[in-house]
Amino acid sequence: MSVLLIADDHPLYRDALRISLEARLSDVTILETADMSSTVDMLNKQPDIDLLLLDLHMPGSEDLFGLLHIRKLYPDIPVAVVSGLEDPELVSKVVNAGAMGFVPKVTSADVIVEAIDEMLEGEIWVPDTLSDQVSASNDEFSELADKVSSLTPSQYKVLCLLRDGLLNKQIGFELGIAEKTVKTHVTSIFRKLDINNRTQAVLIANQLKLTPPE
């Protein structure tokens, strides 16, 4: 039996995808979550999940953070990114960040089943329309993504606000935490990313195109 987890904050899409997959896949169990917190809880409770279908833009998982965070916490669980965007640069980034595939939300149910079958066999899957535009393996980006994945959610939010040019006091106000706590986060961010200043932090955040989780 295969166990799939659909992590998406749109209930209509989850329902449609679950119904379509159950009609086309035999001996499958499909679980559902709606945000990053509940997804992590589910992965803790169900360690035998065969494939996670992850929406990049559900609450707590803006852009690459959700993928990076989950790949760090659960490196043995295959993750396929599901997105409403079909941007070759984004596809390249998620594959280089460790995703098994990229499935646009407009993909037909039959093709999604084919994609799932390939990914369950250990193959990386992207749509034919994007395959020629996906960049080859980028070790520098993969190493950078791995460093960012070591950040806690709070540190990640601080990194994104550093990118926006906010001072520690302003970051504290935005996040509802003390300025001293912000300074502690900044120190940890510099250490984990192996950098020395805010300018370098901004460059990293821009390179990965990070945005803060909701």
Side-chain angles (χ1 to χ4, degrees):
M1 174 184 290
S2 296
V3 181
L4 309 180
L5 172 57
I6 302 173
D8 192 293
D9 63 323
H10 294 95
L12 291 179
Y13 180 77
R14 287 201 316 270
D15 288 346
L17 182 56
R18 174 178 49 77
I19 292 170
S20 295
L21 294 180
E22 287 176 339
R24 291 167 172 81
L25 294 171
S26 60
D27 204 22
V28 63
T29 296
I30 298 179
L31 308 173
E32 300 179 34
T33 54
D35 55 32
M36 178 54 62
S37 178
S38 61
T39 299
V40 171
D41 287 343
M42 183 66 74
L43 292 173
N44 284 330
K45 296 174 184 175
Q46 301 284 343
D48 296 327
I49 289 172
D50 295 294
L51 182 65
L52 166 62
L53 300 169
L54 176 68
D55 175 18
L56 280 185
H57 297 288
M58 68 180 181
S61 180
E62 290 295 335
D63 285 343
L64 290 178
F65 178 69
L67 172 62
L68 298 177
H69 191 54
I70 286 176
R71 292 292 300 138
K72 191 71 173 183
L73 293 176
Y74 313 98
D76 296 329
I77 295 179
V79 182
V81 166
V82 179
S83 176
L85 302 176
E86 295 186 59
D87 176 22
E89 182 180 4
L90 175 61
V91 179
S92 298
K93 286 181 183 298
V94 301
V95 170
N96 280 294
M100 290 298 297
F102 183 92
V103 181
K105 288 192 173 183
V106 295
T107 306
S108 70
D110 288 337
V111 174
I112 291 178
V113 169
E114 293 176 7
I116 289 173
D117 286 339
E118 287 192 28
M119 288 185 283
L120 289 177
E121 291 294 325
E123 300 293 332
I124 293 177
W125 188 93
V126 297
D128 291 338
T129 54
L130 295 173
S131 58
D132 292 338
Q133 304 174 64
V134 176
S135 300
S137 179
N138 185 327
D139 292 339
E140 181 179 354
F141 178 86
S142 297
E143 181 180 353
L144 181 59
D146 185 63
K147 288 181 179 179
V148 172
S149 72
S150 69
L151 301 179
T152 67
S154 294
Q155 291 165 358
Y156 171 82
K157 292 178 183 177
V158 171
L159 174 61
C160 293
L161 294 174
L162 286 175
R163 180 211 53 199
D164 292 340
L166 273 64
L167 302 175
N168 288 350
K169 184 176 182 179
Q170 295 170 310
I171 293 174
F173 178 79
E174 287 290 328
L175 300 180
I177 58 178
E179 185 176 355
K180 182 178 179 180
T181 302
V182 175
K183 291 179 180 179
T184 300
H185 284 324
V186 171
T187 299
S188 296
I189 290 168
F190 287 1
R191 174 176 53 81
K192 289 182 177 181
L193 300 185
D194 193 24
I195 57 178
N196 301 309
N197 55 60
R198 298 167 85 97
T199 300
Q200 291 174 304
V202 170
L203 290 174
I204 288 175
N206 283 334
Q207 186 174 346
L208 271 72
K209 292 190 175 180
L210 300 178
T211 57
E214 295 178 5

